[in-house]
Amino acid sequence: MTIGFDTSPLIYQLVMLMATVGLGSWLFWNRSSNFPETAFLGLTSLYLFLQRLPVLVFNRELNADESQMLTQALTLTRDPVYWRSVDGTTGGPLSSYFLIPVGWLTGRFDYITAHCSALLLVIITLFFLYRALKNWFGASRAAIALFPVILFYGFTKNADFVHFTSEHTPIMLLAAALWIVSYPKFTDPQNRKLPFLLGVLLTLVPFGKLQAVPLGAVVAGYAFFLMLDSRSWNSLKWIVLGALFTLLAIGGLLTAGGVLKDFWVFYIQGNFQYKNDTPLADNLLVLWNSIVQARDLLILAIPTLIFGSYSLFQYDRNKKSAPVFLLGIMLTLATLYASSRTGSGYTHYLLFLILPVSLLIGSFIPNGLPLNNGRKWFYGGIPVLCAVATLLMPYFRNGQFNPYPSGPGLNRSLPFTETGLEASKYLGKGDFLVVWGWNCQYYVECQAPQGVAENHSIRSAFEHPMRETYRDRYIQDLKRTRPAVFIDAVGNSLWLQDTVTQSYRSFPELAKFIDQHYILAGKPEGNRMFVRADLYRH
């Protein structure tokens, strides 16, 4: 049986609405003296799986980053040394490596693999977040605080929120770090494992995504506050040891792979200059526009604002939650800084908000008293109404519930573009492909590893202080891998559209290399496709 969805799967949507009401009713009206957390986590995972089904079976690119990371994962199975075979620019290696075992399980590095990996990371993240909230607020209130986040992940149809993005991995690491610092015995002088593990996790965060570093710094600051409050400095020693152990291990791997210098040049130096020169106010305006356009964030924003306002008038609110509330505020500010620094306006940066939102809502829920009927309707009804409104908005806008239709012969098979079909004729198993421009979907369609570390060419094409360094590596990679096919996708790619000033001929050394060793085999979809001379056939 093949699962498929049209643009308005009404029966499916009605079933999922019933499941939403059922999950919410069970959560808020549960009479058990001991909250059944195993059942809660299991039902939440099943609920999110069912809600994401239309995305999971949609075998098409939702965001250009998906193709980039799928290609990197595919390439790493051929050459596992990151920063030699692969350079993810601002995205660290962890997301690409995470895709590898999932790709082996599915047997293919396609978009279904990416979408399943994204959901898996979301479920792991919610597990750690629940554990952290449970330590701070108790089991039932932890589930209530997480409910809006569950609905957000379930109901959002925004491609920036449901695709496999490099934010998922550091969010998972940060959620695990919050779980550690939430332990009452975290600063116990006899406790060594938790501080050591915290040092490991926080050190791994920048290897997931550099933009997550400010949030990691906030969590580290909270841990320092706990140590200061308890006057327990033994934990600091073990955090530092965990961080040093991780750095030494990563440094050893980089040295063994011969890429320690590449890591410093292309990940540290290259990314520190990756920002625009516009004023902070302009960057914040770009961020605000991204927030306004991402209407699905209302599922998080409205409950947070309403619950926060409501908590001001409660006489039984949890006053012990003040440190967690401040942690939530600081994580919010860190998210806004990380999302606005480059001025790029990437909506998926806003996924970091799920961390502070969970903490803030948890701190707004009253502690020590059972929720009466009115409060149960209040805490459960508002997120559900926001989620349903989010579901209905695209229907009233364009008559569709589901922007990801799929079925037999529809958005399933690869390759699906003329370029991918033509390139695959010349590519054998394991042959390298190189695409000049930013259209990494051709790698995924052909299931071909990338022949250069930079699988999108923006840092070799655009003018910036380090462009010649990137170009030198580009040529060396071409000589090392001798790709079977080279595609100039400028004019049919993200950002790179000017075929006069940005095509492969704008890079003289590249043009010379292609002219010497490759033959123009055609122009599918306007792309110039070159085949290595010894492989070309009429």
Side-chain angles (χ1 to χ4, degrees):
M1 182 180 68
T2 302
I3 299 174
F5 297 90
D6 59 22
T7 57
S8 295
L10 295 178
I11 295 177
Y12 165 78
Q13 295 294 355
L14 287 173
V15 170
M16 292 316 303
L17 284 174
M18 292 172 61
T20 301
V21 173
L23 179 63
S25 299
W26 175 80
L27 174 62
F28 288 93
W29 296 90
N30 176 57
R31 299 292 183 179
S32 174
S33 57
N34 294 319
F35 183 76
E37 59 183 53
T38 301
F40 167 71
L41 293 171
L43 287 173
T44 295
S45 300
L46 177 62
Y47 174 77
L48 288 175
F49 170 76
L50 294 174
Q51 282 279 43
R52 282 287 180 94
L53 261 182
V55 176
L56 297 181
V57 299
F58 185 75
N59 201 9
R60 291 294 182 267
E61 178 187 85
L62 301 180
N63 183 286
D65 289 353
E66 278 190 325
S67 295
Q68 177 188 345
M69 285 184 287
L70 278 168
T71 305
Q72 290 168 183
L74 174 62
T75 305
L76 289 167
T77 62
R78 171 81 180 264
D79 180 358
V81 180
Y82 208 90
W83 289 297
R84 180 173 69 198
S85 62
V86 162
D87 178 2
T89 57
T90 61
L94 297 181
S95 295
S96 295
Y97 283 123
F98 184 84
L99 282 168
I100 293 176
V102 186
W104 284 340
L105 286 173
T106 60
R108 200 166 174 84
F109 289 93
D110 61 3
Y111 299 108
I112 291 177
T113 295
H115 301 158
C116 290
S117 299
L119 177 60
L120 181 57
L121 282 169
V122 166
I123 290 173
I124 296 172
T125 298
L126 294 181
F127 171 82
F128 285 125
L129 263 182
Y130 170 78
R131 292 293 184 179
L133 294 168
K134 176 188 172 183
N135 288 337
W136 277 317
F137 308 117
S140 61
R141 284 167 176 76
I144 293 171
L146 208 56
F147 190 54
V149 175
I150 294 168
L151 294 184
F152 167 75
Y153 275 128
F155 276 86
T156 181
K157 297 296 186 295
N158 190 315
D160 275 312
F161 295 146
V162 299
H163 79 280
F164 184 82
T165 172
S166 53
E167 279 77 28
H168 284 313
T169 306
I171 289 174
M172 183 266 290
L173 292 171
L174 289 165
L178 290 172
W179 173 50
I180 290 174
V181 298
S182 69
Y183 266 94
K185 295 183 178 181
F186 169 69
T187 57
D188 189 325
Q190 303 301 317
N191 190 348
R192 301 176 180 180
K193 293 180 181 179
L194 290 179
F196 184 87
L197 183 56
L198 180 64
V200 172
L201 290 172
L202 293 180
T203 306
L204 287 176
V205 165
F207 293 92
K209 184 82 171 182
L210 281 175
Q211 279 84 350
V213 170
L215 286 88
V218 169
V219 177
Y222 181 77
F224 183 81
F225 163 77
L226 294 177
M227 290 181 288
L228 183 65
D229 186 56
S230 63
R231 301 185 182 278
S232 175
W233 301 110
N234 191 57
S235 301
L236 179 59
K237 177 182 70 176
W238 288 103
I239 292 173
V240 172
L241 286 174
L244 289 176
F245 170 81
T246 308
L247 288 174
L248 288 173
I250 293 173
L253 290 172
L254 294 173
T255 302
V259 292
L260 184 60
K261 180 180 178 182
D262 297 82
F263 160 74
W264 179 257
V265 171
F266 296 107
Y267 197 55
I268 305 302
Q269 292 183 1
N271 285 314
F272 265 97
Q273 64 155 9
Y274 180 62
K275 62 183 181 67
N276 59 26
D277 296 321
T278 56
L280 175 62
D282 292 344
N283 288 350
L284 290 174
L285 181 60
V286 171
L287 174 64
W288 174 249
N289 290 333
S290 298
I291 294 173
V292 170
Q293 293 172 13
R295 297 181 179 89
D296 297 10
L297 289 174
L298 292 173
I299 303 175
L300 299 176
I302 290 178
T304 304
L305 293 173
I306 292 178
F307 295 166
S309 301
Y310 179 64
S311 71
L312 294 176
F313 301 99
Q314 295 180 119
Y315 295 101
D316 58 343
R317 58 182 178 271
N318 182 10
K319 296 179 174 60
K320 293 182 179 180
S321 66
V324 182
F325 171 77
L326 291 176
L327 175 60
I329 293 295
M330 294 304 296
L331 285 172
T332 302
L333 295 176
T335 297
L336 297 178
Y337 170 76
S339 303
S340 63
R341 178 183 174 275
T342 64
S344 56
Y346 291 145
T347 306
H348 47 82
Y349 287 170
L350 298 172
L351 281 172
F352 287 124
L353 285 171
I354 70 111
L355 298 169
V357 162
S358 303
L359 271 58
L360 290 174
I361 293 178
S363 66
F364 294 149
I365 298 173
N367 188 48
L369 294 173
L371 295 179
N372 58 34
N373 290 347
R375 282 175 174 167
K376 286 179 178 179
W377 284 112
F378 181 71
Y379 284 108
I382 289 175
V384 171
L385 290 175
C386 292
V388 172
T390 300
L391 173 66
L392 294 176
M393 277 190 289
Y395 181 78
F396 287 120
R397 189 164 56 246
N398 51 32
Q400 295 183 354
F401 280 120
N402 175 36
Y404 310 115
S406 65
L410 176 64
N411 294 326
R412 291 288 173 83
S413 61
L414 296 176
F416 61 91
T417 65
E418 182 185 351
T419 302
L421 289 167
E422 289 300 313
S424 63
K425 295 177 182 178
Y426 294 95
L427 289 163
K429 185 175 177 59
D431 282 344
F432 289 102
L433 169 66
V434 169
V435 179
W436 175 262
W438 192 340
N439 204 325
C440 297
Q441 70 175 9
Y442 298 144
Y443 295 107
V444 179
E445 289 185 46
C446 300
Q447 292 292 283
Q450 62 196 63
V452 291
E454 185 190 20
N455 62 14
H456 58 73
S457 309
I458 57 172
R459 299 196 181 186
S460 293
F462 290 153
E463 181 67 43
H464 62 92
M466 290 182 63
R467 185 173 71 170
E468 293 308 312
T469 302
Y470 279 89
R471 287 187 167 187
D472 288 343
R473 182 182 62 173
Y474 201 96
I475 294 297
Q476 293 304 314
D477 286 346
L478 284 174
K479 292 178 179 178
R480 174 173 56 85
T481 63
R482 291 181 53 79
V485 177
F486 176 88
I487 300 173
D488 180 3
V490 173
N492 190 22
S493 69
L494 183 66
W495 291 7
L496 297 165
Q497 295 291 335
D498 191 340
T499 57
V500 176
T501 63
Q502 296 174 336
S503 76
Y504 82 104
R505 303 211 70 87
S506 66
F507 181 177
E509 293 86 350
L510 175 59
K512 180 180 178 181
F513 183 88
I514 298 302
D515 291 344
Q516 287 179 344
H517 302 289
Y518 291 79
I519 295 173
L520 181 64
K523 295 184 178 181
E525 301 175 287
N527 298 315
R528 283 173 284 190
M529 189 180 77
F530 298 85
V531 177
R532 206 172 67 215
D534 61 306
L535 298 176
Y536 179 73
R537 55 186 181 273
H538 294 284

